[in-house]
Amino acid sequence: MSWEANVRQVIPYVPGEQPKKKVIKLNTNENPYPPSQKVKKALEDFDIDKLRLYPDVNAGELGEGLARYYNVLPEQTFVGVGSDDVLATAFLTFFNSDKPILFPEITYSFYDVWANLYNIPFKQVEMDENFRIRKEDYYGENGGIVIPNPNAPTGLAKDPGDIEDIIRHNPDSVVIIDEAYVDFGATSVLPLINKYDNLLVVQTFSKSRSMAGARIGMAFGSKKLIKYLNDVKFSINSYTMNILTVTAGKAMLDDDGYFKDTVEKIVATRERVKKELKALDFEFPDSKSNFIFARHKSVPAVDILNAAREEGIYLRHFKKPERINDYLRISIGTDEEMDSLVDFLKGFLGR
Ligand SMILES: *Cc1c(COP(=O)(O)O)cnc(C)c1O
């Protein structure tokens, strides 16, 4: 049994449940709308002979398309198998100091998992009583910074000016801004990659582009940063993204009108649901993402969670830290799905 002493033992990230039966799934922030029909067409037209060859290491036409779409150079673009892959590679590449990396105390629960996996020291930075990130708390010495904007699971967005202040105060660290939800109402700091060579902006097709199942994530940064990222990637597995995914992703990227329409619909639904939840005595930070992080004024979160589940409505609850265990994270579904949720809540709360 002595070999076990040398195992890299980790406590893994626990993803939201993927139920087998059909439910109203508001627990993992997926997009309720399908990808563009152009994705379907592109896959139907796909030439299977292309599968004989290894794929392009920079995701071929998807990497080039992203550079064009976001008005950056291909050498400033990195594509990974979901942004989890991009972020894990970035942690391994850039967080190599004895000083702790910094991220908010309430945030994406994968950050501490990667930090532990790679033995990166970290410090979870307190937030104010309204779950706001205070930029000044990120001005001290550190080994790197990672902040989601908007933050998850609070949904709160920071002004790009505040993010820039954090970057400007940290010329000796790489600052990663995780923009998984940026399309739902925050402002991207992507243009700043030309001004700060230590800024990495990470985005994904999983939420706003309806393609969580395809696993497409991307990062933008200075040429230098992207080169370092590729050096690490090419030391593990050069061919991370397969050609079918490249084809599907490029087709989705090309249907910008459809993308913008679905995002707009989700934002409209979110704003309507905010009013309905407020009327039912929920309180929540003002979300700029595709979910609402809500607490009921008198009914415990777990009671609502379990009762909703009985009705086939799945929500997300986090036990840790204690400060958020009264909250439920509610993903924004279609209008019909949200109506079902509101109807259930009215019944359950006796309205
Ligand atoms: C969903 C999410 C990701 C990861 O998404 P991928 O599906 O791996 O692209 C990264 N960061 C945050 C904050 C997220 O919520």
Side-chain angles (χ1 to χ4, degrees), residues 91-271:
F91 270 53
L92 185 58
T93 309
F94 301 119
F95 297 161
N96 196 25
S97 164
D98 296 332
K99 294 174 199 156
I101 64 163
L102 307 179
F103 50 85
E105 60 168 326
I106 296 160
T107 195
Y108 189 35
S109 45
F110 227 137
Y111 298 156
D112 59 337
V113 173
W114 289 315
N116 283 321
L117 174 65
Y118 297 136
N119 287 320
I120 301 163
F122 64 93
K123 196 175 142 216
Q124 290 164 289
V125 181
E126 265 182 49
M127 307 155 103
D128 75 9
E129 64 282 5
N130 299 315
F131 294 132
R132 296 223 166 252
I133 292 167
R134 291 175 301 226
K135 61 182 178 182
E136 297 80 8
D137 295 342
Y138 294 81
Y139 292 175
E141 264 200 297
N142 62 72
I145 291 174
V146 55
I147 296 175
N149 193 43
N151 194 13
T154 64
L156 284 171
K158 275 201 109 42
D159 288 339
D162 289 339
I163 301 281
E164 181 166 6
D165 286 340
I166 292 172
I167 303 162
R168 192 183 356 200
H169 279 84
N170 285 282
D172 299 330
S173 305
V174 170
V175 179
I176 300 175
I177 305 299
D178 180 353
E179 296 189 337
Y181 302 101
V182 75
D183 298 320
F184 298 107
T187 306
S188 176
V189 290
L190 181 54
L192 295 181
I193 65 165
N194 292 311
K195 193 166 165 192
Y196 300 96
D197 65 1
N198 60 326
L199 166 64
L200 191 76
V201 176
V202 179
Q203 296 190 7
T204 176
F205 275 41
S206 295
K207 279 82 183 220
S208 59
R209 282 194 171 85
S210 308
M211 288 179 72
R215 312 307 299 129
I216 300 173
M218 60 275 200
F220 306 100
S222 62
K223 286 188 197 176
K224 216 183 202 174
L225 225 48
I226 299 302
K227 161 142 196 335
Y228 281 128
L229 207 48
N230 273 319
D231 287 347
V232 168
K233 172 187 161 178
F234 297 158
S235 305
I236 301 173
N237 176 8
S238 310
Y239 304 112
T240 52
M241 184 163 289
N242 71 80
I243 179 79
L244 285 163
T245 305
V246 166
T247 304
K250 177 63 166 46
M252 185 64 205
L253 183 67
D254 286 346
D255 200 348
D256 199 42
Y258 178 82
F259 158 65
K260 288 190 170 135
D261 285 350
T262 50
V263 166
E264 209 173 286
K265 270 201 274 188
I266 290 165
V267 169
T269 306
R270 177 189 75 205
E271 294 308 310

Side-chain angles (χ1 to χ4, degrees), residues 11-12 17 63 78 88 109 165 263 267 280 295 312 331:
I11 301 169
E17 190 179 349
F78 180 91
S109 45
D165 286 340
V263 166
V267 169
L280 291 169
R295 162 170 75 179
S331 307

Side-chain angles (χ1 to χ4, degrees), residues 276-337:
E276 310 231 33
L277 290 178
K278 202 156 269 168
L280 291 169
D281 280 344
F282 282 92
E283 39 193 24
F284 42 85
D286 189 28
S287 170
K288 298 289 180 200
S289 60
N290 69 337
F291 55 84
I292 297 172
F293 193 54
R295 162 170 75 179
H296 193 266
K297 283 181 184 154
S298 53
V299 183
V302 178
D303 295 357
I304 300 171
L305 178 81
N306 293 336
R309 207 188 137 94
E310 292 285 304
E311 292 298 305
I313 303 173
Y314 282 45
L315 308 170
R316 189 89 190 260
H317 177 250
F318 300 91
K319 293 186 190 78
K320 281 192 310 183
E322 212 165 291
R323 199 179 150 186
I324 61 167
N325 87 39
D326 258 352
Y327 284 80
L328 291 168
R329 194 192 65 190
I330 305 167
S331 307
I332 304 299
T334 61
D335 276 312
E336 297 71 41
E337 288 174 325

